Amino acid sequence: MKEDEAGRWQTPLEMVRMSPSATNKQPWRLVMDEDKFHFYEKKTKGYEMESTGDIQKVDLGIIMCHFEIAAKEQGIDGAFKIENPDILPLKELSTLSHTRWRNNHGH
């Protein structure tokens, strides 16, 4: 998505883009669906078996935090909900975790 297409979501999306991740992999994908954003973890084989646990889940938590803080700073109220969507927007995500952000005011 280009900056001029992001509208009021530009700052939260930019904060996601600038977020750090373990080994600099940025293992996430976001899909915008009207007033919702779907957050996906793109898993790297073997990471869940590390002695530290699945560090990519921490990466996903970091971007979710950055997104939420930036959205609330922009006056956009919403909440995260873990769910199983009826869509699979990215074919390369054969194994994924999914969390949805929904704007509470639907605009």
Side-chain angles (χ1 to χ4, degrees):
M1 172 182 300
K2 296 179 181 176
E3 279 186 37
D4 60 334
E5 297 170 334
R8 68 192 191 128
W9 299 104
Q10 195 275 328
T11 299
L13 292 172
E14 182 67 9
M15 294 303 101
V16 166
R17 188 186 73 79
M18 295 177 62
S19 294
S21 68
T23 68
N24 205 27
K25 288 188 176 280
Q26 285 76 33
W28 53 73
R29 303 295 182 267
L30 271 66
V31 175
M32 185 177 179
D33 179 21
E34 296 179 17
D35 66 338
K36 299 177 286 260
F37 281 87
H38 299 273
F39 289 70
Y40 292 92
E41 171 194 6
K42 183 176 182 192
K43 294 183 179 279
T44 301
K45 280 188 173 186
Y47 267 63
E48 70 279 355
M49 300 175 78
E50 293 290 322
S51 62
T52 56
D54 186 354
I55 197 73
Q56 289 181 307
K57 292 231 183 288
V58 174
D59 293 339
L60 195 59
I62 290 169
I63 67 156
M64 290 166 63
C65 180
H66 286 205
F67 182 90
E68 181 174 24
I69 290 169
K72 290 189 182 212
E73 286 289 322
Q74 298 294 308
I76 304 169
D77 189 31
F80 285 106
K81 179 179 180 183
I82 297 172
E83 66 178 15
N84 186 7
D86 293 331
I87 60 171
L88 182 60
L90 301 171
K91 290 182 182 176
E92 74 265 16
L93 297 179
S94 58
T95 307
L96 56 86
S97 294
H98 174 263
T99 304
R100 179 189 75 171
W101 165 274
R102 179 169 169 66
N103 181 356
N104 288 336
H105 300 293
H107 54 108

